[in-house]
Amino acid sequence: MIEHDSYYKDQSHLTFEERIKTNYDHPFAFDTDLMIEQIKELLAGRPVDIPTYDYTKHTRSSKTYCQEPQDVFIVEGILVLEDKRLRDLMDIKIFVDTDDDVRIIRRIKRDMEERGRSLDSVIDQYLGVVKPMYHQFIEPTKRYADIVIPEGVTNTVAIDLLTTKIEKILEEARLAQ
């Protein structure tokens, strides 16, 4: 799994107060160029050091993790279909379509439990930034998807179809070798 969130831009040159104002739901928040470069390296059979992001400091951590090449990568993130160069590296493009209510509940739980944020700050950010960015940048990328999966992992039929397709691609790759 390669998470787009690992590629949030380094903001160590900014003050903490400036960092907390970053719009993390805008394409400009990501170092997608680095992600593309690293995916190309993985596809060429070379390991990469993937950055990690420190959500408490609102900047990239000095820690990385080594990702070895694999037969299958899942490139995950709300904006991974936004950049054509990134889409062109994907064999299958998937948009997981989740209800607005489910998205905000997940965000509240995650941000309060994992990131120590208050309910008011999560709601303010959601209404002021997250929801508008979703409609401006994320939802429109649905048109680039090969598969739109309503309700994500609870949609077992879609998951079974996807699994079958991945197995077929892997089998074809093995036969071509």
Side-chain angles (χ1 to χ4, degrees):
M1 172 97 59
I2 300 175
E3 298 175 347
H4 203 197
D5 284 6
S6 296
Y7 294 88
Y8 279 124
K9 289 181 179 172
D10 178 47
Q11 300 192 106
S12 58
H13 61 286
L14 300 174
T15 66
F16 183 79
E17 290 73 26
E18 290 171 317
R19 287 184 237 157
I20 61 175
K21 295 177 183 174
T22 297
N23 180 349
Y24 291 96
D25 294 278
H26 192 286
F28 291 160
F30 295 91
D31 188 351
T32 303
D33 291 341
L34 176 60
M35 183 182 210
I36 291 166
E37 175 186 316
Q38 290 194 329
I39 290 173
K40 286 180 178 178
E41 287 293 304
L42 289 165
L43 292 171
R46 294 182 289 272
V48 297
D49 290 323
I50 293 181
T52 58
Y53 197 79
D54 186 332
Y55 292 96
T56 61
K57 295 180 180 178
H58 300 279
T59 192
R60 194 176 284 176
S61 168
S62 60
K63 298 175 185 171
T64 61
Y65 68 92
C66 182
Q67 176 62 62
E68 295 290 333
Q70 303 291 322
D71 291 334
V72 175
F73 284 103
I74 297 173
V75 179
E76 182 275 334
I78 59 173
L79 286 164
V80 296
L81 298 180
E82 192 270 335
D83 191 304
K84 181 181 182 331
R85 299 168 305 153
L86 192 52
R87 289 193 309 268
D88 288 345
L89 295 173
M90 300 176 188
D91 292 318
I92 305 170
K93 294 170 286 302
I94 302 165
F95 187 97
V96 179
D97 201 7
T98 306
D99 185 73
D100 290 348
D101 294 341
V102 173
R103 285 198 316 270
I104 192 168
I105 290 167
R106 286 180 183 164
R107 179 174 281 269
I108 289 168
K109 287 187 67 166
R110 181 199 67 196
D111 286 3
M112 290 181 71
E113 292 172 7
E114 297 174 21
R115 300 179 182 172
R117 298 193 43 215
S118 70
L119 178 60
D120 286 342
S121 74
V122 177
I123 292 171
D124 288 346
Q125 183 185 33
Y126 182 82
L127 294 175
V129 178
V130 175
K131 187 175 179 183
M133 294 296 100
Y134 175 83
H135 292 292
Q136 183 176 354
F137 293 110
I138 300 161
E139 199 274 336
T141 67
K142 188 188 303 188
R143 70 179 180 260
Y144 302 121
D146 300 312
I147 302 169
V148 176
I149 301 177
E151 301 308 319
V153 296
T154 61
N155 187 331
T156 56
V157 172
I159 300 301
D160 287 345
L161 289 169
L162 186 56
T163 302
T164 301
K165 178 63 176 171
I166 292 169
E167 288 171 350
K168 182 179 178 191
I169 290 171
L170 288 172
E171 182 61 29
E172 289 172 358
R174 281 187 210 102
L175 293 174
Q177 291 177 351

